Amino acid sequence: MERKSIAPDGSEYELPSEERTEEEKDMIKEIVEEQKEKGKKIVVVQGLGFVGAVNAAVISNCEVDGEYPYYVIGVDLPNENSFWKIEKINQAESPFNVEDPRVQEMVEEGRKNDRLGATWVKEAYSLADIVIVDINLDVSKKEKGNIEDFDVNIGPFENAMKNIGENIDSDTLVLVETTVPPGTTEKIIKPIIEEELKKRGFDVDENPPLIAHSYERVMPGEKYVDSIINMWRTYSGINDRSTEHAEDFLSDLINTEDYPLWNLRKPVASEMGKILENSYRAMNIAFIHEWTLMAEDVGVNLFEVVDSISVREGTHDNMMYPGFGVGGYCLPEDPLLGEWASQELFGRNEELSFSKRAVKINDLMPLHTYDLIEEGLSGKVSGKKVCVLGASYRKDVDDTRNSPTVTLYDEIVDNGGNPVIHDPYADNIEGREDIEVYDDLDEVLFKSDAVVFVQPHKKYLDLPMEEITSKIEDEGCVVDAFDILDDKKIKYLKEQGIHVSGVGKGHIRDL
Amino acid sequence: MERKSIAPDGSEYELPSEERTEEEKDMIKEIVEEQKEKGKKIVVVQGLGFVGAVNAAVISNCEVDGEYPYYVIGVDLPNENSFWKIEKINQAESPFNVEDPRVQEMVEEGRKNDRLGATWVKEAYSLADIVIVDINLDVSKKEKGNIEDFDVNIGPFENAMKNIGENIDSDTLVLVETTVPPGTTEKIIKPIIEEELKKRGFDVDENPPLIAHSYERVMPGEKYVDSIINMWRTYSGINDRSTEHAEDFLSDLINTEDYPLWNLRKPVASEMGKILENSYRAMNIAFIHEWTLMAEDVGVNLFEVVDSISVREGTHDNMMYPGFGVGGYCLPEDPLLGEWASQELFGRNEELSFSKRAVKINDLMPLHTYDLIEEGLSGKVSGKKVCVLGASYRKDVDDTRNSPTVTLYDEIVDNGGNPVIHDPYADNIEGREDIEVYDDLDEVLFKSDAVVFVQPHKKYLDLPMEEITSKIEDEGCVVDAFDILDDKKIKYLKEQGIHVSGVGKGHIRDL
């Protein structure tokens, strides 16, 4: 049977044959030779996911004194999940549909001007001046909210490092941008690469490998490219030469005039920085969720209270609002990478208890919205049509990675209800192809028993309440899980006899 | 036996006799009549502690269109603990020695210009247009770090409200500034005051009492007065008239041009605001402590990592640094007021778990500094002279309320060591008069075995390291618990053979 890799847009790509792979190896070599003659440095980006694909495009457009010093080769695996990304880039198409139009422009520019390509052959690493590691390092939980029995999928990551070690020159800089457990660069990556270099006869004492860590702070959305270029960057190498090489490259890529680089003393400090900042954010979200429940119980609109506090600039201005739940790759997983490192890489006993508890609370947060639905339907969810408005995990993007909508969906199903998911941007949910995501809002709302707003997408903020009142069933309910409805709209719905409640909006009962 | 109230400066005041109290009542009445004739409003401030005394002085200097509309009477109890504050104010002396010179100036101005007085007679409340509640509502813990078995001393607070209710007119605004468990104004204060008004024949249905909550954000230090006047203020009354009266008064007092007032819908929202913001801060401190321990174990300078993250303005710029411990009235207690309200006033079961854990970690934080001392002294603290540099709970102030130095002191004593406490500002520790606080640094350092920097007071930041090396015993150690020593100083000490460690400074071992 012919194996294919299918892109989200439906395009199908046959996986490469051995013959094609052999040809590819020759072609890559030729391209690189040509580019090196032109004086270009070869940057190989390992991993063409959400970060790597965009990163490759951005680096290929990195301009220094009117020149484009880098030729970029994106590398991913020739399997069903990933091969389409390689083909897309080579067809001058961004593999991901992102809100920032500059991403597609940069892929086109990179291809058109012969500064960007993508491949699946590992030999690319052997031609690189710089290998950038942009693959994922995932946490697997037995189930959401289970923070005692989780694991870090270190195996595939180790294999990827082995791939690099088997191919690179001892003078290639390996720049790890992946979010990793603190200690990974020196305790996992360095030994693997040294071992592979030694196998190939390199003297790693004489010529220690060049490895550095510098985490990205990529943020999907309209400012995707800016979140790479115009963003603070921390870095640290395993030795002085690694640090210098990383600094040279980052100075070319980042707008260091406005965002000077932060050199930390050791890779473990840089690795810790990323985990610390995401743990902090995850905790601040979980913290507010505890107060959200309290605010509802005591009749307070917590959004207003947070507003009255976050005017205190510099100390309280980043206080989170109540919300529906947390998604993406970072916040549900990164805090556990810290705990894993603490135990597994450093043998510590003390817990990072705030981080762990944050993940637990955030994972289960959508169940609170379920409780409000159940309450709004007088305890009877079974057989009811529940419209969930929002499938992505952030407003006005189509990103559905670890979307909290899934948790709510499953809970409704488990209770016999009929969830119908709508999103104006996303047309499916990553990893849960069994869940249909509709884009016809009229149809979704028609004869619904509960309408649940979970993302403040523009379309929902602009939705006239008559669209709901004209379609919802008698004794229906509306749940506002993310401050999508203002008091005027809520009052109107209540006047029409609809039960309304909202996450963090205890004041609704008095409206 | 004659009973006296003794001020911290040693001045002694005889407690008032019945005769003097009778005279006082008449005098207060006379003064108020005179002031009312001049068109002044009478503001009675209940509680002349750290907040109330300064608040009284500030209100007495509140200028509106070139006029001073308020005559202020500070009220406290005629007992040994408090009576001296009344006498001090009447002698035109600020009861507290604070860094902000404007406090003393305002007390003087208020007295000189006949806009400020202080008394102990409850009849003052009967003459008030506004009563401001600035008394404390304390949490009592069985021991530090015990967050399961704590209590809120609500009794004295209820008595104070009863005193007000027994005396005020139904048209007096009671403005509660005390940090209270959310729900207190409506569930505790309102019923008490209504009950007392009813006893005196008022019809509280016809004329509901005027009660509002508006928490202060007073911060000891150089900007004490600014922290009242130039600071955001949230408020909410139990009914519309209360809210309006509170708004009128606060508009006079606060610089509302730069800090517009925040009116929340209900007192419970205002009460919750204060607890939420202090719980948030307490949690952020405790969170960093967990990472502090990790940073030390893995050899990282966490101060640098935090710096590299907190450049992210608006999202991460308030990340805390590692530290020695937490003091003052707010952070060690307020988070528990939230938990108490949740359980006792609203019968909730869900925990405010982050708040509780924050208090536990912060209470016990100084024990980590003890561990570093013990390690620096190779496990032998018994019989050793341990200089602890810092008695106050904040840098460059003399405020010792709930000072974490006490926790360290007790731990050293329990382990047979000889702690010697130094502070350039504080000369004792509130509530622990058994602990001597010295101000001769030379003498304190002489023949010390361990020198522990716990507060970044200016004097310590400027201290030449030769002062230590010339006085410390052989095999002595230095512990930097609050980033007081830079790397150069630490290197110098290490070169002199002194064992140095620091809270959050895992990099010291590589220096």
Side-chain angles (χ1 to χ4, degrees), chain A residues 18 50 85 110 127-128 194 269 275 286 400:
Chain A
E18 275 185 37
F50 233 69
K85 299 173 199 168
L127 308 166
E194 283 185 346
I275 302 294
T400 58

Side-chain angles (χ1 to χ4, degrees), chain B residues 40 134 164 169 184 233 268 397 448:
Chain B
K40 303 272 180 173
D134 272 340
I164 292 174
D169 188 79
T184 298
R233 202 51 112 83
V268 65
V397 301
S448 54

Side-chain angles (χ1 to χ4, degrees), chain A residues 154-438:
Chain A
I154 199 77
F157 185 84
E158 287 174 330
N159 287 339
M161 295 307 106
K162 201 158 171 279
N163 275 342
I164 293 173
E166 285 166 351
N167 288 283
I168 56 167
D169 189 80
S170 70
D171 225 34
T172 307
L173 171 68
V174 178
L175 183 62
V176 182
E177 295 196 342
T178 301
T179 302
V180 294
T184 298
T185 300
E186 288 186 288
K187 287 175 178 269
I188 295 176
I189 302 173
K190 180 169 173 273
I192 291 174
I193 287 179
E194 283 185 346
E195 176 72 18
E196 294 303 326
L197 286 172
K198 275 194 256 178
K199 278 188 197 162
R200 290 190 288 132
F202 288 97
D203 181 343
V204 296
D205 297 321
E206 186 71 17
N207 289 308
L210 303 178
I211 311 173
H213 184 263
S214 176
Y215 62 90
E216 43 77 19
R217 282 158 163 156
V218 160
M219 185 62 85
E222 285 173 16
K223 299 196 164 179
Y224 205 128
V225 172
D226 270 344
S227 73
I228 296 176
I229 297 174
N230 287 305
M231 183 49 88
W232 297 100
R233 205 47 115 82
T234 299
Y235 68 101
S236 184
I238 61 167
N239 47 41
D240 290 346
R241 242 185 110 221
S242 304
T243 303
E244 283 158 25
H245 275 56
E247 185 176 321
D248 288 345
F249 170 70
L250 292 170
S251 301
D252 284 350
L253 184 65
I254 311 289
N255 166 13
T256 51
E257 201 164 305
D258 296 323
Y259 298 91
L261 299 173
W262 281 86
N263 174 15
L264 296 180
R265 298 174 200 231
K266 295 174 181 176
V268 65
S270 165
E271 295 162 329
M272 187 185 277
K274 174 68 174 259
I275 302 294
L276 176 59
E277 74 179 68
N278 279 338
S279 298
Y280 172 75
R281 220 159 162 73
M283 172 188 68
N284 280 336
I285 292 169
F287 169 73
I288 281 295
H289 189 64
E290 293 192 335
W291 286 86
T292 295
L293 302 181
M294 171 126 170
E296 290 174 27
D297 289 344
V298 310
V300 162
N301 182 352
L302 192 58
F303 290 91
E304 290 179 354
V305 176
V306 170
D307 280 338
S308 77
I309 294 170
S310 58
V311 287
R312 299 190 68 180
E313 279 177 34
T315 54
H316 295 78
D317 53 354
N318 62 353
M319 194 175 273
M320 297 288 181
Y321 288 110
F324 167 59
V326 175
Y329 263 148
C330 303
L331 302 190
E333 303 196 348
D334 291 1
L336 297 179
L337 294 178
E339 180 66 23
W340 187 86
S342 173
Q343 287 177 32
E344 302 294 324
L345 299 183
F346 293 98
R348 298 180 71 239
N349 293 320
E350 292 88 352
E351 272 196 344
L352 295 166
S353 70
F354 288 101
S355 307
K356 286 178 71 178
R357 185 148 179 83
V359 172
K360 185 186 179 81
I361 288 179
N362 293 342
D363 273 2
L364 302 179
M365 203 189 292
L367 300 183
H368 174 58
T369 295
Y370 175 79
D371 290 341
L372 295 181
I373 297 168
E374 192 174 85
E375 189 193 304
L377 293 173
S378 306
K380 292 165 227 137
V381 174
S382 182
K384 298 290 169 68
K385 179 179 178 184
V386 181
C387 307
V388 178
L389 304 184
S392 70
Y393 82 89
R394 288 185 72 212
K395 71 169 178 171
D396 296 325
V397 302
D398 69 349
D399 195 342
T400 58
R401 296 174 298 163
N402 283 326
S403 171
T405 295
V406 170
T407 308
L408 178 60
Y409 177 93
D410 288 343
E411 188 71 8
I412 295 168
V413 169
D414 287 351
N415 283 278
N418 169 28
V420 183
I421 313 290
H422 175 272
D423 200 282
Y425 304 95
D427 49 18
N428 64 3
I429 295 182
E430 198 187 278
R432 283 299 295 269
E433 281 66 28
D434 59 308
I435 300 178
E436 294 248 36
V437 179
Y438 299 91

